[in-house]
Amino acid sequence: MHQHPRALGLAPLSTARSAIPGAGIDIAKRRPVDPVTIVRPHAAARAARFFVEKFPGRSMYAVKANPSPDLLGILWANGITHYDTASIAEVRLVKATLPDATCCFMHPVKSEEAIAEAYFQHDVRTFSLDSLEELDKIVRATEGATDLTLCVRLRVSSEYAKLSLGSKFGVSHTEAKELLVATRQVADALGICFHVGSQTMSPDAYANAMERVRAAIVDAAVTVDVIDVGGGFPSAYPGMTPPPLERFFETIHRAFESLPISYSAELWAEPGRSLCAEYSSVVVRVERRRGNELYINDGAYGTLFDAAHIGWKYPVQLLREPDSDARDMDFSFWGPTCDDLDFMQGPFPLPADTSTGDYFEIGMLGAYGAAMRTAFNGFGSGETVVAGDEPMLSVYREQDDMQERRSTNVVKL
Ligand SMILES: Cc1ncc(COP(=O)(O)O)c(C=O)c1O
């Protein structure tokens, strides 16, 4: 049984915050000067339970997607016991927040100091690597440890992903054999991992990657104990409606079952985005309007890094009744800093009468939004409130609704 984080002495969600029903509208009525972050613990809890119950293996949370200690506590309370950490600071954070959690250090290029601290001070036993050089580092830094789980990261295609992770890491097919054989000689347990890219829109991505895994295992003729399919599981954004997550899980399960590995081999995943995208949103204020451009008080150096740099489209919702004849029009946003790069092209559809002093909510910022916020140019602070209303989009809500309908039916019968 997993211990509830409160039992571990974790601080409850800050008491300075209040629960606000119909969160966005109520926040706008208070006319806050700075952006207000809305967190929805129930949404993260629902996502965690979904993975714990339905993914046919172990789900480790990829901490980089959102390292909020409150969020870590929610995921832990809902059954996520393992954490994919990719820096020593993330390892320290997880161990300070959840002392009983297991950290796996899944960055393929680490400093020897980080490996040594993780191994000797934080009990980390699982590391990823994609080169012989990194293998040497791990052996040196752990002083020849014999209790390691070492996951060799294969390079796989990001062709189905909205955000590629296909260039930086991963050993090529031609070099995989040598690395797998060498790692097998050092590792207590040998794993193979990959990442198909973030926001992957088709289960075929995992099926194809698993074929690369099969080829690597056959080629190297090694015994493999762990298959880690990485992250990449999609959330819902405007213009991006992914297939149901169960279809991804079924594809992965089928491929895993057909690999030439022993019955005792384990299946792991490292979801980041899909566990926290629905967790938070932000309420922003319009400070100026210039044509179809809105100057707002959050931006590229705040929670909208992806909107600025890779054109990510987040859902937006005006927090007042629009004029009755105002149709939606497409807007772009300028953030609060003095930098031309602080620009979010969108388009973001809002009622045509949106103007200075209006508030709107930008949704689905729980993954790689909140985590990217800086204090550049003096911006970046702001209140956080906890809300129990639904996120603007959800890949899990339909599931819950169906569940509810089913149980209601049972009661009626
Ligand atoms: C090694 C690793 N695992 C997991 C993740 C999480 O990916 P996602 O947020 O797409 O699920 C990332 C993201 O960069 C990663 O680099």
Side-chain angles (χ1 to χ4, degrees), residues 59-359:
S59 301
M60 313 198 266
Y61 173 55
V63 175
K64 66 176 78 65
N66 187 332
S68 147
D70 286 345
L71 173 63
L72 295 177
I74 293 162
L75 298 178
W76 172 265
N78 286 278
I80 302 288
T81 55
H82 287 59
Y83 293 79
D84 155 18
T85 43
S87 65
I88 194 63
E90 287 181 359
V91 174
R92 290 178 196 142
L93 170 74
V94 171
K95 295 306 274 189
T97 312
L98 307 169
D100 290 348
T102 302
C103 287
C104 300
F105 207 151
M106 303 308 282
H107 192 308
V109 183
K110 300 165 285 299
S111 72
E112 283 193 41
E113 291 85 347
I115 299 166
E117 182 182 328
Y119 182 83
F120 289 108
Q121 293 184 39
H122 305 292
D123 275 337
V124 176
R125 294 293 177 267
T126 302
F127 298 86
S128 75
L129 67 151
D130 66 358
S131 67
L132 289 169
E133 196 185 334
E134 187 74 7
L135 181 60
D136 286 345
K137 261 198 250 170
I138 293 170
V139 170
R140 265 197 312 273
T142 61
E143 298 172 9
T146 55
D147 56 356
L148 298 175
T149 296
L150 297 180
C151 296
V152 170
R153 176 142 162 192
L154 294 189
R155 180 171 305 178
V156 299
S157 162
S158 273
E159 65 185 309
Y160 293 98
K162 295 289 179 187
L163 198 64
S164 172
L165 289 171
S167 305
K168 189 169 184 178
F169 298 129
V171 64
S172 68
H173 184 62
T174 48
E175 291 169 351
K177 177 178 178 179
E178 188 186 8
L179 185 57
L180 281 166
V181 169
T183 306
R184 177 73 273 178
Q185 285 161 11
V186 171
D188 178 37
L190 175 65
I192 295 185
C193 61
F194 57 78
H195 199 302
V196 293
S198 203
Q199 186 71 6
T200 289
M201 297 302 285
S202 167
D204 291 350
Y206 294 89
N208 295 350
M210 288 295 234
E211 281 311 306
R212 300 297 308 270
V213 171
R214 174 196 306 285
I217 296 173
V218 169
D219 203 29
V222 286
T223 305
V224 172
D225 309 294
V226 173
I227 303 293
D228 176 356
V229 300
F233 299 95
S235 299
Y237 299 92
M240 291 187 233
T241 306
L245 286 173
E246 283 98 333
R247 280 194 39 213
F248 289 79
F249 296 174
E250 282 157 19
T251 299
I252 289 167
H253 183 59
R254 219 176 305 121
F256 175 72
E257 291 288 303
S258 75
L259 287 177
I261 48 179
S262 80
Y263 283 119
S264 60
E266 293 182 17
L267 175 65
W268 299 356
E270 303 165 9
R273 179 185 303 281
S274 50
L275 287 182
C276 61
E278 298 175 19
Y279 177 59
S280 75
S281 62
V282 69
V283 171
V284 298
R285 182 163 77 171
V286 179
E287 304 293 2
R288 187 195 167 190
R289 175 170 174 174
R290 183 172 77 178
N292 67 347
E293 299 164 357
L294 301 177
Y295 291 67
I296 61 175
N297 57 357
D298 197 5
Y301 298 92
T303 57
L304 300 175
F305 181 96
D306 280 352
H309 295 284
I310 54 172
W312 207 266
K313 296 193 185 60
Y314 295 98
V316 291
Q317 186 176 18
L318 189 67
L319 296 173
R320 66 160 167 79
E321 287 302 316
D323 284 355
S324 53
D325 53 352
R327 296 177 173 213
D328 274 3
M329 68 178 271
D330 286 341
F331 287 95
S332 298
F333 302 152
W334 290 103
T337 71
C338 300
D339 194 335
D340 259 12
L341 284 176
D342 197 356
F343 179 66
M344 285 63 62
Q345 175 83 51
F348 300 99
L350 282 165
D353 65 334
T354 304
S355 58
T356 304
D358 274 333
Y359 289 84

